[in-house]
């Protein structure tokens, strides 16, 4: 664990450069946790700035901010594949439910819930308004407190596996 408040700018730049070298050379066993120079008052705030529309009916927030002691958890794209066999339904809604369930499994493994998610990215094959409606309905079921993460939806022609219709990745914040 590295607490940057004790380092000069030159040493901070060195440590950050070293981190990226380790990251891009595949050194997966190195863990660096950046601790903000704050008291232990970790929290997440979801915001809709004045002058922008209320995105709550569309199941996202304009921004999410994490503060205090903690670490970020980056979650790889989760498909709608079910179980250990990764069985893919041909039904879009079933895959959406599966992707959100798989996301919840990964969050739970890290001691997190959807309340800790800051940002999600959704990839939808052959996106249209009906798929957006289904996605939004299912998001409202999972994020039942209407505290939605920041979100980006990207229409795509195809995903990694034949039959995949949706993929969802996330960034969460785990307080220490």
């Amino acid at each position: 664990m590295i607490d940057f408040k004790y380092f000069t700018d030159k040493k901070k730049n060195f440590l950050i450069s070293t981190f990226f070298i380790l990251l891009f050379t595949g050194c997966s066993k190195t863990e660096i946790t950046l601790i903000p120079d704050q008291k232990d008052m970790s929290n997440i705030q979801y915001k809709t700035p004045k002058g922008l529309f209320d995105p709550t009916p569309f199941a996202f927030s304009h921004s999410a901010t994490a503060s205090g002691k903690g670490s970020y958890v980056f979650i790889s794209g989760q498909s709608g594949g079910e179980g250990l066999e990764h069985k893919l339904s041909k039904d879009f809604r079933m895959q959406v439910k599966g992707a959100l369930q798989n996301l919840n499994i990964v969050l739970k493994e890290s001691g997190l819930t959807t309340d800790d998610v800051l940002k999600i990215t959704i990839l939808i094959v052959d996106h249209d308004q009906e798929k957006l409606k289904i996605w939004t309905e299912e998001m409202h079921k999972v994020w039942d407190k209407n505290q939605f993460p920041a979100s980006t939806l990207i229409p795509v022609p195809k995903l990694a596996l034949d039959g995949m219709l949706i993929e969802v990745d996330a960034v969460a914040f785990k307080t220490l």
Side-chain angles (χ1 to χ4, degrees):
M1 186 171 349
I2 299 172
D3 189 341
F4 273 99
K5 69 182 175 187
Y6 299 111
F7 291 91
T8 64
D9 285 340
K10 188 174 182 178
K11 287 182 182 177
K12 286 179 191 176
N13 290 338
F14 170 76
L15 290 170
I16 291 169
S17 298
T18 302
F19 169 75
F20 282 107
I21 289 169
L22 292 170
L23 179 68
F24 290 112
T25 58
C27 187
S28 62
K29 301 233 184 236
T30 302
E31 181 179 319
I32 298 176
T33 303
L34 306 178
I35 301 175
D37 187 13
Q38 299 177 17
K39 299 208 185 265
D40 189 17
M41 49 184 276
S42 303
N43 64 21
I44 296 175
Q45 295 178 348
Y46 303 94
K47 296 181 181 178
T48 297
K50 291 180 181 176
L52 292 180
F53 73 97
D54 178 9
T56 305
F58 304 101
F60 75 93
S61 290
H62 286 290
S63 72
T65 304
S67 62
K69 293 183 179 182
S71 58
Y72 289 94
V73 178
F74 296 87
I75 300 170
S76 294
Q78 300 299 308
S79 76
E82 298 176 41
L84 297 176
E85 304 83 32
H86 195 257
K87 185 178 177 182
L88 291 165
S89 170
K90 293 182 190 244
D91 180 69
F92 181 72
R93 185 178 298 272
M94 292 303 295
Q95 283 203 29
V96 169
K97 287 180 178 185
L100 291 169
Q101 180 180 11
N102 292 340
L103 177 62
N104 272 321
I105 290 169
V106 177
L107 288 166
K108 186 176 180 182
E109 181 67 24
S110 295
L112 300 168
T113 70
T114 55
D115 293 340
D116 302 303
V117 175
L118 298 172
K119 171 80 168 83
I120 58 174
T121 303
I122 309 102
L123 306 170
I124 295 179
V125 173
D126 299 326
H127 169 68
D128 60 24
Q129 292 305 301
E130 181 60 27
K131 288 180 178 176
L132 178 59
K133 180 181 176 215
I134 291 168
W135 168 256
T136 302
E137 289 169 357
E138 296 304 323
M139 277 288 290
H140 277 279
K141 292 175 186 175
V142 174
W143 269 266
D144 57 355
K145 296 177 189 172
N146 285 339
Q147 294 288 313
F148 298 107
S151 174
T152 301
L153 189 152
I154 304 171
V156 295
K158 185 172 173 58
L159 288 166
L161 300 173
D162 289 340
M164 277 179 64
L165 302 175
I166 187 167
E167 186 171 359
V168 181
D169 73 23
V171 177
F173 187 73
K174 182 175 185 174
T175 56
L176 298 177

